[in-house]
Amino acid sequence: MTTEASLRDYNILGIVPPATTKPISWESVKDDLKSFLRENPIPRARLAHVEGPHGSGKSTGMLEYIWSEIQSASEGTTVIYVPSWDVEALLLSAYFESHASKHWKLKEKTYVGLEGDIKSKLCFATARQLRMALRQENFQSMLPGHVTFLLDLEVEPTADGELLLSELCLWCRRRLSAKLDATTLITMATFSRPPLHDLLGEYLQTRCHCILMTHTGPSTGQPTSLSSRDLPLKPLSLSGDVADYQELIGKLMDMILRSTKPDAEPDAEERRAYKFLFEKKIARLGKPNSSAVCGLDAIVDVFNMTSTATKAPCVVFFEDRRADFEMLRVLDEMCKKNNVTFLRIRRSATLLDVVEAVLYPEPRFIRIAADFPFVLHLPRVAAIVSCGTTYGRVVFDIYEGQLVHMETPKSRMDFLKEQSYALKSNTGPKGIVFYAAADVLLNPSSDAHFDNRELLSGCLAYDEEVMRLSVEVCTSWPDPSPQRNGDHALIPLPAMSDTYLLRDMWRRLINMGCLRWADHTSKRPISNGPRTQRTLEVLDNAAVRWLVKDITVPLAYFLAGVSDATSIPTKRVMIRIAALIDAGTNFIKYQPSIEDDLKDAYNNLSHGVKKGTLEKIAGDCRGIGAQQFSHGSVWITLGLLLRQEDPAYTKEGGARNGEDTYAAEIEEIAFASISDKIRKIESSFGLGPCKDPIRDTQLQPSDIETVNLEMMHSWLHQTVFFRRTGAEAPTLATDLTSYERVEPRLLSSLVIRKRFEDDATEALFAFSPAHIFSRRSGAGIETHRVIFLTEIPKRLILNLLRQKGRGVCETIYPREARGQT
């Protein structure tokens, strides 16, 4: 679609196209790069930071130029490029080897991975691959002479990215001490992290050469703060009403369909043949854990096939969690009605997902999840819709001293990241419209205006992934002169300014059993034997990480415990529990009457659930799940799963056992996904498929005790305490880590209330594998909700509290810092 055509299409929307500046190119800093790269003689260590917007060619044309200049100055130099997202390594390498690439100098000069002959190559490696290589003693011998590292800094730093920066500091320091050949480190980003470059400069014993892209040419001054003037698109106001979404989607649908009429595209028969060929080629990609070589060849074929084809337009939606259901319903209905492809991309997206989103030869709507950290190159973006002013994130809240799920305001970088899809589009930003909810970016006097927002909303490494980061900094780092007591030099984490956070996470990991103190003089904990190593292997294992979409340390530790289980049924039950926990909490569907009863009970907890409702759900459970139904969510979902694994179960609703319908069941798509995970995880532990799932998962009392102990230790710091007040069952509970009151929700809250009513229970402990959902109003938290609760036998946790003290679960954050007394 030409720019003129796209401008004409704006008439459909009734808007005036925004006036945008010409995109910035990396070539504006070409002379400055040349000066840095041709320094003669080459110093033993040099450091540069290149900063420029998305779409400026940093990872394509600039990458080729840097590699070429380095080879000219020092032939045979190995150049290792680490993109900000794992999947990009394969995509970029395939692009450079395909006919679509104009960068001919890199033809047959790229290499994926760090094994084999990498001399003179431009190697594409993930952060995890380079981290593992740095720990290998023979890695130095694989790098003849001068070595250059190119790091694309993440917009939202992850645990792997932060650990790589830290470990690279130590590796370079050691290389300098050994007086080995020159090391060059170049970081690239859309933003600046001055403290990071101070740290890198200190470890490399050199000054950071800052290269900033501007419209007028090279600049080595300090970067200015990101403001609304830096946004490439002028936002247009959009209210949050579903009717507005529907009207907008209709107009955008009309626009992209008009642009693909036969006079602008190949005829319908040719397009159908082209689509068939595309789908046949991407099918070769298979599963994301297939070999890199197979994946690379398939992507090169797709790039070659699509290089001369007319690109189909797409509309990009950035989701708002609060409007998800209605927006999804409207999008789904209208896409089906108009035969338009509807795709969703999230952080766990596979290579197949990304190739389909980028190169699919038909008009499409692409929904980008809030947790997706990367900016895709979509060749033909027609419009961008920012559906809300907040993102749902898991953050470490210092007011609670706890990891919670919270709606956080979008930051300046969040909005820039959304608009950057226009910068990366082949058409450039001119001709692309950007919708933002309400007038958040338009009203300069508003507190929520762009310039008044935080630069960054949060950081995965120090929020959702902080526990993983905390355990990995305690793993053994190969050091020729380790300190006494097994301590190693603490890795200097670039952004770890809050020492309470690291200490708090270490305490949790020690309570879990994942770490231990070597002795009272240790500066940091150490690994706690083989179980910790297996936990790290689960976290690192590519197959498991693709299988388990958002692997956490507690879930990895729980899975690592499968090897310690002494009975086969216990292993099978633990694997099923892990697969169910990974699937989330929203995969059970109920009969309409049952669903109505549950909703009434959720809204009126003091009245309880209608008599017989829970009994009907319990009647749909099988095996050990049915026996343990009254103990909460893990056992309830396990019971439903076992019924659907039973060969007697049929999709039609139990025709083989004479029943008409079920009160509750796992949704068909979710069941297929969970079953697939179970088979693969069982295979990884050397277990074959179940012949009789109900019989093969039957537990003895000692086995049930083992499973409960494993769940208690894994999620100890996500435990809540219920106490009866008078004759009433409690409607609130206390989180044992933050000591905040929490409100139990959904099915587990009703089951636990029934436990109090039926058993005259005075107190009860339960854990949730899901983080607390918190809503903040003004300066305080309004509500804390907890879901997916499973009871922990009281004697087990009381024994633990007697051994380790009543406050073992409590955060070490001072109460005054959390607003408590």
Side-chain angles (χ1 to χ4, degrees), residues 742-763:
V742 295
E743 179 185 346
R745 300 291 291 176
L746 304 184
L747 180 61
S748 58
S749 65
L750 305 178
V751 173
I752 284 172
R753 282 188 59 80
K754 188 167 175 59
R755 286 272 290 143
F756 276 93
E757 292 165 356
D758 294 351
D759 301 344
T761 302
E762 292 298 325

Side-chain angles (χ1 to χ4, degrees), residues 553-610:
V553 173
L555 185 54
Y557 185 79
F558 182 76
L559 266 174
V562 172
S563 299
D564 296 327
T566 55
S567 76
I568 298 299
T570 303
K571 293 177 187 286
R572 293 193 187 278
V573 166
M574 289 178 67
I575 288 169
R576 279 161 175 74
I577 289 173
L580 287 164
I581 287 173
D582 176 60
T585 58
N586 196 28
F587 54 79
I588 299 176
K589 64 178 181 180
Y590 303 96
Q591 275 186 35
S593 61
I594 296 292
E595 188 167 14
D596 290 341
D597 290 345
L598 293 176
K599 285 180 179 178
D600 289 342
Y602 299 152
N603 295 328
N604 300 282
L605 281 176
S606 59
H607 296 129
V609 67
K610 188 182 292 185

Side-chain angles (χ1 to χ4, degrees), residues 83-93 126 288 299 347-355 372 374 376 546:
S84 59
W85 189 43
D86 291 0
V87 174
E88 191 186 9
L90 272 177
L91 286 175
L92 277 174
S93 181
T126 67
I299 305 170
R347 183 154 54 108
S348 55
T350 67
L351 184 60
L352 185 61
D353 295 332
V354 174
V355 171
F372 187 65
F374 182 64
L376 292 175
W546 280 113

Side-chain angles (χ1 to χ4, degrees), residues 361-482:
E362 292 288 317
R364 59 209 181 278
F365 278 70
I366 302 173
R367 182 173 172 234
I368 307 291
D371 63 359
F372 187 65
F374 182 64
V375 178
L376 292 175
H377 168 64
L378 301 174
R380 189 174 164 188
V381 177
I384 300 170
V385 182
S386 181
C387 298
T389 60
T390 62
Y391 276 150
R393 303 176 190 269
V394 175
V395 301
F396 187 84
D397 188 351
I398 62 170
Y399 294 103
E400 294 189 59
Q402 182 64 296
L403 285 160
V404 299
H405 191 285
M406 184 185 294
E407 292 287 336
T408 59
K410 286 183 181 178
S411 68
R412 284 175 280 161
M413 283 303 303
D414 287 329
F415 281 111
L416 180 62
K417 184 174 71 174
E418 291 176 353
Q419 292 208 0
S420 292
Y421 279 78
L423 293 173
K424 281 201 166 188
S425 176
N426 289 356
T427 59
K430 199 164 187 176
I432 298 175
V433 62
F434 178 79
Y435 281 93
D439 64 350
V440 62
L441 301 182
L442 303 174
N443 183 2
S445 62
S446 167
D447 289 338
H449 183 255
F450 184 86
D451 293 348
N452 297 324
R453 289 176 171 261
E454 294 290 334
L455 178 63
L456 289 169
S457 303
C459 176
L460 279 170
Y462 303 103
D463 285 318
E464 188 172 354
E465 296 180 350
V466 66
M467 188 171 282
R468 180 178 168 211
L469 181 141
S470 300
V471 71
E472 294 221 31
V473 299
C474 294
T475 57
S476 178
W477 172 257
D479 194 327
S481 56

